[in-house]
Amino acid sequence: MRSDDELVAKLSVRLTEEIKNLPADGRDHELIVKIKGDYGNINLGTQNFEIHSGKQPPPRGSDRERECPQCGQPAWRYTKHCMHCDYDMHRHDELVAEEEAKIRKSETDRYLLKAFGVFAAIAATSFLIKDYLPESWRSWAIGVTVAAGD
């Protein structure tokens, strides 16, 4: 046998569906609820039913919430469009990821260029000073030149 709470919950869901199907013409519309079947002696009494619109924001502070980059309103984290301004958040995330990848590549290129400059300077310096070093150190200077030049 069903409990009163279960019936109220199912009725709330069904009413929400029916309200979504009403024409959006701004006029009053009547919904008639007929309950068929033998449910025994169930007294629903006076009930308040929660009717939700199709667009509910995520719970505040939850891991499913994010801020829309365009309007700043709370939106669902993994939804394609903002429920408030219809901004394409997936495209925004793609553009942000592309920009971050460009920045990382630029930083990597800059680091490699600096490393190349340091090694080139070491190779050039060791090559230029090899003639002024004692004979026993010249082979080391040539080795450093070759190693830094690779």
Side-chain angles (χ1 to χ4, degrees):
M1 181 168 283
R2 296 179 184 178
S3 70
D4 289 354
D5 291 338
E6 185 181 346
L7 285 175
V8 170
K10 288 185 177 190
L11 187 55
S12 292
V13 169
R14 184 71 176 119
L15 281 172
T16 301
E17 290 173 5
E18 288 298 321
I19 289 172
K20 285 179 187 176
N21 293 329
L22 290 174
D25 56 8
R27 298 189 321 211
D28 290 339
H29 296 275
E30 182 179 36
L31 285 176
I32 299 173
V33 178
K34 293 183 181 179
I35 300 175
K36 295 182 182 179
D38 182 14
Y39 294 106
N41 187 14
I42 296 175
N43 181 6
L44 293 178
T46 303
Q47 296 289 328
N48 292 323
F49 295 97
E50 245 182 83
I51 308 299
H52 299 285
S53 68
K55 295 182 177 181
Q56 289 293 318
R60 283 284 190 189
S62 75
D63 62 344
R64 295 174 288 170
E65 179 187 35
R66 74 178 279 188
E67 185 177 293
C68 173
Q70 180 169 304
C71 70
Q73 295 292 320
W76 292 97
R77 176 166 301 286
Y78 300 109
T79 189
K80 182 169 173 59
H81 292 97
C82 173
M83 60 191 282
H84 303 285
C85 65
D86 207 33
Y87 182 67
D88 189 343
M89 294 193 299
H90 280 195
R91 183 66 184 138
H92 173 82
D93 293 343
E94 289 171 357
L95 293 174
V96 168
E98 288 172 10
E99 189 63 33
E100 289 173 354
K102 286 179 186 176
I103 291 170
R104 279 193 306 277
K105 184 178 180 337
S106 173
E107 289 172 352
T108 302
D109 291 348
R110 196 172 315 121
Y111 174 78
L112 290 174
L113 186 59
K114 286 179 184 178
F116 173 77
V118 168
F119 287 120
I122 291 171
T125 303
S126 66
F127 180 76
L128 292 174
I129 66 168
K130 75 175 179 348
D131 293 332
Y132 302 102
L133 295 173
E135 191 66 36
S136 61
W137 288 17
R138 287 185 185 171
S139 61
W140 283 99
I142 292 172
V144 168
T145 301
V146 170
D150 281 341

